[in-house]
Amino acid sequence: DVKVTQSSRYLVKRTGEKVFLECVQDMDHENMFWYRQDPGLGLRLIYFSYDVKMKEKGDIPEGYSVSREKKERFSLILESASTNQTSMYLCASSPGDTQYFGPGTRLTVL
Amino acid sequence: AQSVTQLDSQVPVFEEAPVELRCNYSSSVSVYLFWYVQYPNQGLQLLLKYLSGSTLVKSINGFEAEFNKSQTSFHLRKPSVHISDTAEYFCAVSDLTGAQKLVFGQGTRLTINP
């Protein structure tokens, strides 16, 4: 079974803090993705990576950056957290046509 | 670019009744189609997918969806629902090339009443 793990299920941070969300997959997948999920909006793609050190912006990259130093790990970084980044963050990995999701991190920015 | 519209944000049904969750998409290129399910406080799980071949695809827990190219639809159906089917359901599309990014619909919350 594919396993995608995320470092925290719940996280509370203060405005202006730097926040790291970590995602690890154990299936040697080339592609990894970060989404945010908000009620009524579905999932929106923030960034994705198709190889180590390679990244591309998704639909809503503003306020976020990413890092992929190793194939199995994809990190989402909020350089200076703001209240409008309070959301559920979902990581996924994919070998090609199908994405497999982690359990999500519910981030609250106060 | 692709877009996905799920026509119902909430669908309440009684246990053992049939259900249909509607999904329409827009794309200028061929696409793959997916339904994902999210149970409370969990991540998304793949329910079923259409890549090619037979336009009717089925899941192991009794759901099925039919790809209709002329109507650009991929509606999800189940003839008899169970309380355990209570969840949020997301329709998604991807193109066939590159990293195959997913574009999601807004989600449909299915509530099963006893």
Side-chain angles (χ1 to χ4, degrees), chain A residues 9-10 31 33 35 37 40-43 45 48 50 88 90 94 96-104, chain B residues 32 34 36 38 41-46 49 51 88 90 94 98-107:
Chain A
R9 291 300 305 274
Y10 300 93
N31 306 312
F33 306 82
Y35 296 88
Q37 180 183 7
L41 297 177
L43 278 76
L45 181 64
F48 68 100
Y50 50 89
M88 170 72 89
L90 290 163
S94 166
D97 54 60
T98 302
Q99 292 186 23
Y100 300 90
F101 284 81
Chain B
Y32 294 144
F34 304 83
Y36 282 87
Q38 185 177 37
N41 299 314
Q42 295 187 27
L44 271 68
Q45 301 175 28
L46 179 68
K49 62 184 178 183
L51 303 181
E88 190 152 22
F90 292 94
S94 74
Q100 295 168 353
K101 299 174 289 180
L102 285 171
V103 175
F104 284 87
Q106 301 90 329

Side-chain angles (χ1 to χ4, degrees), chain B residues 59-111:
Chain B
S59 73
I60 57 171
N61 59 349
F63 283 94
E64 63 180 37
E66 185 150 24
F67 169 49
N68 188 318
K69 190 173 182 179
S70 63
Q71 297 190 6
T72 60
S73 68
F74 191 55
H75 301 330
L76 182 69
R77 301 183 180 95
K78 189 171 184 179
S80 176
V81 294
H82 189 268
I83 291 281
S84 60
D85 293 324
T86 295
E88 190 152 22
Y89 292 79
F90 292 94
C91 181
V93 302
S94 74
D95 57 29
L96 278 59
T97 59
Q100 295 168 353
K101 299 174 289 180
L102 285 171
V103 175
F104 284 87
Q106 301 90 329
T108 297
R109 187 168 297 277
L110 177 62
T111 304

Side-chain angles (χ1 to χ4, degrees), chain A residues 34-82:
Chain A
W34 274 106
Y35 296 88
R36 63 176 283 174
Q37 180 183 7
D38 300 289
L41 297 177
L43 278 76
R44 294 176 291 167
L45 181 64
I46 303 171
Y47 266 96
F48 68 100
S49 167
Y50 50 89
D51 201 350
V52 176
K53 296 191 187 295
M54 307 302 288
K55 60 187 179 186
E56 282 197 26
K57 294 179 180 179
D59 301 317
I60 52 164
E62 298 78 18
Y64 303 95
S65 62
V66 290
S67 171
R68 193 163 180 205
E69 297 295 320
K70 293 184 178 181
K71 193 173 187 180
E72 67 270 19
R73 188 180 297 269
F74 191 36
S75 303
L76 180 69
I77 304 156
L78 287 65
E79 295 288 344
S80 177
S82 64

